[in-house]
Amino acid sequence: MNEHTRAPSVSERADELEERMMHELSERIATRSTLFYLGDGKVQFDSGEALLAANPGKHFLMGADPRLPPLPKKPTLIDFFKARFATTAHLLQSATHALKGGQPEKVVLACLLHDIGVASFIRCDHGYWGAQMIEPYVDEEVSWAVRMHQALRFFPDPSVGYEYPQMYVKLFGADYKPEPYIVAEYERARNHKWYMTSRLITLNDIYSFDPNAKVDLDDFVDIVGRNFKEPKEGLGFDNSPSAHMWRTLMWPTRFL
Ligand SMILES: [Fe+2]
Ligand SMILES: [Fe+2]
């Protein structure tokens, strides 16, 4: 087979697919942020000029990406659960476990939201990202607990029966040691008045990977209603310090 008749390579087929996907957006070009490329091991930046040249007559997407589930004009937390959180079973199982254990609503909410950073956005430092997203809308204790679970989950607490998760040995290897910034965070959290709230996230976390457990977002709508201050303008449009994060989730392929 010579160069002109060979079957398309995997990367050529990916290019074709991309082209088609762009086409499906009709008049608009969806762009990838640098972070999306970094995730593929590439330090790459889409040049606006080059993309315009490759898509004559089109403009860049500056709003909703038609490939993604639509969000209402004034989206709520529940809307994001349904349209943007790629996985909710773990969050719901963790919150269900806390609820059945008789934990206060604050703790149930913290469990429900503890991994929204990773479910919607990014893995690295997901506790910090998640805490920042919810900070303007929840009791300070809840966002503090979500932030600190990032560090606490790596450290046992025999006083409440929390052991280093065996799953982490499986996931990261037996020789993984948390970095110094995580150790320092743990030490700060250990003596904090809300330590136990965050510890309760980790306690409910490790038991919450049952694929057969029956969970339902509807069970938490009232708790969210009482404990998450939904902005009347909708998440993303209320000028809060984290509104931009919700907008970015809403429109991840906007050009700017
Ligand atoms: Fe987590
Ligand atoms: Fe978790």
Side-chain angles (χ1 to χ4, degrees), residues 88-100 107-108 110-115 200-209 215 220:
T88 56
H90 171 63
L91 296 171
L92 293 172
Q93 285 175 19
S94 177
T96 300
H97 194 262
L99 195 60
K100 285 188 179 153
V107 172
V108 175
C111 290
L112 183 68
L113 302 180
H114 78 285
D115 278 341
L200 280 166
I201 293 179
T202 66
L203 270 175
N204 286 286
D205 208 2
I206 52 167
Y207 299 110
S208 48
F209 294 92
V215 287
F220 298 98

Side-chain angles (χ1 to χ4, degrees), residues 1-16:
M1 200 180 269
N2 69 33
E3 206 187 305
H4 300 286
T5 57
R6 71 187 164 78
S9 69
V10 172
S11 80
E12 281 165 342
R13 250 180 280 142
D15 287 348
E16 254 173 52

Side-chain angles (χ1 to χ4, degrees), residues 5-116:
T5 57
R6 71 187 164 78
S9 69
V10 172
S11 80
E12 281 165 342
R13 250 180 280 142
D15 287 348
E16 254 173 52
L17 184 70
E18 202 167 309
E19 197 87 344
R20 255 207 326 269
M21 273 158 52
M22 278 181 180
H23 196 68
E24 278 164 20
L25 301 181
S26 83
E27 297 309 307
R28 298 282 159 181
I29 309 164
T31 35
R32 282 205 189 100
S33 297
T34 299
L35 185 62
F36 301 168
Y37 285 117
L38 290 174
D40 285 332
K42 295 183 215 161
V43 184
Q44 186 176 329
F45 183 77
D46 278 338
S47 137
E49 288 299 319
L51 275 177
L52 280 184
N55 295 273
K58 290 191 182 181
H59 293 108
F60 287 107
L61 194 70
M62 283 298 284
D65 187 325
R67 297 169 300 175
L68 292 171
L71 278 160
K73 278 202 163 56
K74 296 179 179 178
T76 63
L77 178 66
I78 299 293
D79 291 324
F80 277 93
F81 258 84
K82 291 178 178 167
R84 287 296 182 276
F85 296 176
T87 171
T88 56
H90 171 63
L91 296 171
L92 293 172
Q93 285 175 19
S94 177
T96 300
H97 194 262
L99 195 60
K100 285 188 179 153
Q103 295 299 335
E105 289 196 350
K106 228 187 265 187
V107 172
V108 175
L109 185 75
C111 290
L112 183 68
L113 302 180
H114 78 285
D115 278 341
I116 63 166

Side-chain angles (χ1 to χ4, degrees), residues 164-177:
Y164 183 81
Q166 279 310 302
M167 181 172 282
Y168 288 178
V169 176
K170 201 165 134 191
L171 291 174
F172 313 128
D175 57 349
Y176 173 73
K177 291 262 180 298

